[in-house]
Amino acid sequence: RKNVAVRERVLGEEHADTLVSVNSMALFLCRAGNREVAVRLQRTTLEALIRLEGPEHPDPLRARADLVELRNMQGRHRDAERIATETLVALNAVLGREHPETLGTMAQLARALHEQEGYEDAEALNRQVLAMRTTKLGESHPDTLDTQVQLGLNVFRQGRVGEAMQLLESATAVADRSLPRSSWRRAAIMARFGECLTVIRRFDESEKLLTGSFMVLKRRNPHEAQRVARSLVDLYTAWG
């Protein structure tokens, strides 16, 4: 908020740098649980960037990519799929297939497909993203680890439990040694593994991961904390 206020005062509300900062703040607000405010801010910012720079400038393309993430966080996965598919055409043409924004949008498209039970298509996308992120960012980068976890979930949902466990255990081990314990992204990775452990009835291990993740996420990312809270209810219901 402070960064946005400074840019508004110095550059003006309609300056591209100000709008980019507002767009970033919208994502932060959504993770903090202020979804309605976040969506309103993001929509206004995207419209202003398109008006100022044109629809295929990198700034509005990044804002459209962020809109895909917002729609996934809202649970509007069909909308996220549609926007991601449209945006990827422009991102590939303007920024290139291996650009971080392009890969991020591919990953969000995979997430939207997964949530609509399109597990095979999501797996195919995540395998591409994982290969490129591993090459460009390294195996311990949070984006790479997140993609590996999402791939593990795709595989898990298709019943290939052994393969999924290898992916999830590997990602969790790397996150545990390479990311700070206060990192919400580390906590989210641990939580996803915990959710799968509940399904295969490894309840003690699941509880440890989910409760530890929840303590971090309720401070760092309330949106993710809500999901983990539901996962804890599922755990204790299954455990009896």
Side-chain angles (χ1 to χ4, degrees), residues 95-115:
L95 299 179
R97 182 173 174 75
E98 296 188 0
H99 190 278
E101 292 293 344
T102 308
L103 294 178
T105 304
M106 289 174 67
Q108 287 296 328
L109 174 57
R111 187 163 300 189
L113 292 169
H114 177 91
E115 295 297 338

Side-chain angles (χ1 to χ4, degrees), residues 110 114 117-127 130 146-168 196 199-200:
H114 177 91
E117 300 184 1
Y119 305 128
E120 291 184 8
D121 290 338
E123 178 189 349
L125 270 175
N126 274 325
R127 287 195 183 280
L130 180 60
D146 180 66
T147 306
Q148 184 172 335
V149 168
Q150 294 303 318
L151 176 59
L153 297 178
N154 303 151
V155 172
F156 188 84
R157 288 295 185 181
Q158 293 177 71
R160 288 145 49 202
V161 176
E163 182 183 351
M165 286 296 106
Q166 288 182 342
L167 287 163
L168 293 166
C196 292
V199 176
I200 60 174

Side-chain angles (χ1 to χ4, degrees), residues 156-206:
F156 188 84
R157 288 295 185 181
Q158 293 177 71
R160 288 145 49 202
V161 176
E163 182 183 351
M165 286 296 106
Q166 288 182 342
L167 287 163
L168 293 166
E169 287 173 358
S170 172
T172 301
V174 174
D176 192 38
R177 66 173 181 264
S178 63
L179 301 181
R181 293 193 175 276
S182 60
S183 166
W184 74 263
R185 300 192 70 175
R186 175 186 179 277
I189 289 168
M190 302 296 174
R192 296 295 180 272
F193 187 27
E195 290 164 4
C196 292
L197 291 174
T198 296
V199 176
I200 60 174
R201 306 186 68 80
R202 288 165 56 178
F203 298 133
D204 287 329
E205 297 167 83
S206 177

